[in-house]
Amino acid sequence: MRILVVEDEHKIANSIKKGLEQESYAVDIAYDGVQGFDLASTEDYDIVILDLLLPGMDGLAVCKRLRDENIHTPILMLTAKGELHDKVEGFSGGADDYLVKPFAFEELIARVRALTRRPRNRLNSVLSYGDLSVNTLTFEVKRGKTLCRLSKKEFSLLEYLLRHPDIVLSKEQIIAHVWDYDADILPNTVEVYIGYLRNKIDKPFPKKPRLIRTRRGFGYQIGRER
Amino acid sequence: MRILVVEDEHKIANSIKKGLEQESYAVDIAYDGVQGFDLASTEDYDIVILDLLLPGMDGLAVCKRLRDENIHTPILMLTAKGELHDKVEGFSGGADDYLVKPFAFEELIARVRALTRRPRNRLNSVLSYGDLSVNTLTFEVKRGKTLCRLSKKEFSLLEYLLRHPDIVLSKEQIIAHVWDYDADILPNTVEVYIGYLRNKIDKPFPKKPRLIRTRRGFGYQIGRER
DNA sequence: CAAGAATCTGAGAAAAAGCTGAGAAAGGAT
DNA sequence: ATCCTTTCTCAGCTTTTTCTCAGATTCTTG
């Protein structure tokens, strides 16, 4: 799966690239509209992620020109917060989906998945580990048969951990995926949220193994204690 | 179920595709009449959704030529608002149904369903959950034996929720399905309508379980409280 | 065991999400 | 034309969530 990211802010472009590569996509970057158009029209990408405001040729123009050239690669448009009006324009320009900045990385991944793979179905919508299960359609979290009520952030954090079972995720990785790229989140916030999760899915079940493990110095991990 | 959408406005084409895929149809898009005709005549679709005004060959011509070639795939014609007169022509050209733009997404779904499950029968026209039942032929809504009078929008909102029982639907999803694709609806409007529905199907029955649940941060859901 | 670093946690301020009454605007029916 | 219904927005209010801070605790290492 190849993805082209057209984004002039290097910081954002690189963090998107890094994140997508971690999900094993092959990512190219173009830092302006003209270069973006050239790459998108000559190379064969599965998705183009296109910022609306670009030097040279703006995202909308790139989008329109690509469609005019009969290139129908799915386009995910990124629009800054104020420009709500541009949503409509973005779509009419031929984009397939849009995402309002700033976004949490997991949201981007979700959109990209939606554009590449099938629509979300009932079959692969449940993540589980041991007797913990997380349903991404009903947003239900269960430990055994007991329902746990999680807030949105708690849910995304748990979902992120659960999509990488047994792997140690650093606080930095967690922040990059679960929070906005430009939210300035302290590592301590992750600790706090891990605490909230433990209160809800580990502490109430003292006889069951703890699933959220601290790997001091490295990060956190979903996994059985040994 | 495979559907071909022939529509030159990318915005509309994409939003139709997205919505139909969420209903687990497989969707192809053609952006002009010629390409549309080629695909419809060589591939095997269950339905063709065909815009009337198209570059190249217009919808009517595509429709006629397909029928001439003895291809009887059901055709759903899309016509813009002013062109009421064309309705008749559309039908005489061999279309099976038509829909006036702009339409709410649920309307399209309904037509598509009607065309795929051949004669719409009385059997699958009633949606229900617990003691709530919604008849999509008579537009009657009942809680137990009590009739509830709903307005059109209230009805489509309830119908949309009820077609996805237990699944959490975000305000964005609800807006995309229940309102026109070009309506600019605030999330708060959904909150207001949810309120109206509750006043009619939950509040008057204080002894029965509430069916419309708020999942703060996620969306709304038809489901029993637990 | 002591010191430093990493992590945990209770408290609380700030922000976001959701609910609701009121009312403007548009459409239909009589 | 008038009245009623429906659609939709707005502003004020309540509830919940998010995030930071500061002090406590735990772990590691010499």
Side-chain angles (χ1 to χ4, degrees), chain B residues 67-86:
Chain B
R67 296 317 188 210
D68 286 348
E69 306 264 325
N70 257 327
I71 293 164
H72 296 294
T73 313
I75 292 179
L76 172 58
M77 195 76 100
L78 303 182
T79 85
K81 203 165 190 177
E83 324 158 338
L84 282 191
H85 178 66
D86 298 316

Side-chain angles (χ1 to χ4, degrees), chain A residues 149 151 153 179 184 188-189 193 196 216:
Chain A
R149 228 181 115 269
S151 79
K153 265 282 177 286
W179 274 266
D184 236 341
N188 173 249
T189 304
Y193 272 83
Y196 294 161
R216 177 173 266 254

Side-chain angles (χ1 to χ4, degrees), chain B residues 44-128:
Chain B
D44 190 28
Y45 293 101
D46 297 282
I47 298 190
V48 177
I49 297 176
L50 189 53
D51 191 32
L52 192 60
L53 282 172
L54 287 171
M57 194 190 323
D58 79 14
L60 203 53
V62 173
C63 190
K64 278 181 176 146
R65 273 194 63 187
L66 283 174
R67 296 317 188 210
D68 286 348
E69 306 264 325
N70 257 327
I71 293 164
H72 296 294
T73 313
I75 292 179
L76 172 58
M77 195 76 100
L78 303 182
T79 85
K81 203 165 190 177
E83 324 158 338
L84 282 191
H85 178 66
D86 298 316
K87 276 186 193 177
V88 192
E89 263 203 286
F91 264 111
S92 64
D96 297 84
D97 199 358
Y98 64 88
L99 190 53
V100 177
K101 297 201 272 189
F103 47 83
F105 200 80
E106 286 296 275
E107 281 196 67
L108 179 69
I109 298 278
R111 307 298 177 107
V112 168
R113 273 202 196 93
L115 288 178
T116 49
R117 291 178 207 163
R118 294 281 89 185
R120 63 176 190 171
N121 58 17
R122 284 162 192 277
L123 295 175
N124 62 9
S125 65
V126 177
L127 302 166
S128 67

Side-chain angles (χ1 to χ4, degrees), chain A residues 25 35 64 72 78 130 145 148 155 164 183 186-187 199 214:
Chain A
Y25 292 99
Q35 196 194 350
K64 278 183 177 143
H72 297 294
L78 304 182
K145 302 199 164 177
C148 310
F155 188 92
H164 305 273
L186 305 172
N199 286 337
T214 300

Side-chain angles (χ1 to χ4, degrees), chain A residues 23 54-55 80 87 97 109 134 138 143 156 160 165 199 221 223:
Chain A
E23 302 287 323
L54 287 171
K87 273 188 194 177
D97 200 357
I109 298 278
V134 168
T138 62
R143 188 74 202 261
S156 351
Y160 177 54
N199 286 337
Q221 175 189 33

Side-chain angles (χ1 to χ4, degrees), chain A residues 41-116:
Chain A
S41 55
T42 53
E43 302 287 313
D44 189 29
Y45 294 101
D46 296 283
I47 296 190
V48 177
I49 296 176
L50 189 53
D51 191 32
L52 192 60
L53 283 172
L54 287 171
M57 193 190 325
D58 78 14
L60 202 54
V62 173
C63 190
K64 278 183 177 143
R65 274 195 61 188
L66 284 173
R67 295 320 190 206
D68 285 348
E69 307 265 324
N70 258 325
I71 293 165
H72 297 294
T73 312
I75 291 179
L76 172 58
M77 195 77 100
L78 304 182
T79 85
K81 202 164 190 178
E83 325 158 337
L84 283 192
H85 178 67
D86 297 316
K87 273 188 194 177
V88 190
E89 265 202 284
F91 264 112
S92 63
D96 295 86
D97 200 357
Y98 62 88
L99 190 53
V100 177
K101 297 202 275 187
F103 48 83
F105 199 79
E106 287 296 277
E107 276 197 67
L108 180 68
I109 298 278
R111 306 295 177 112
V112 168
R113 273 202 198 96
L115 288 176
T116 51

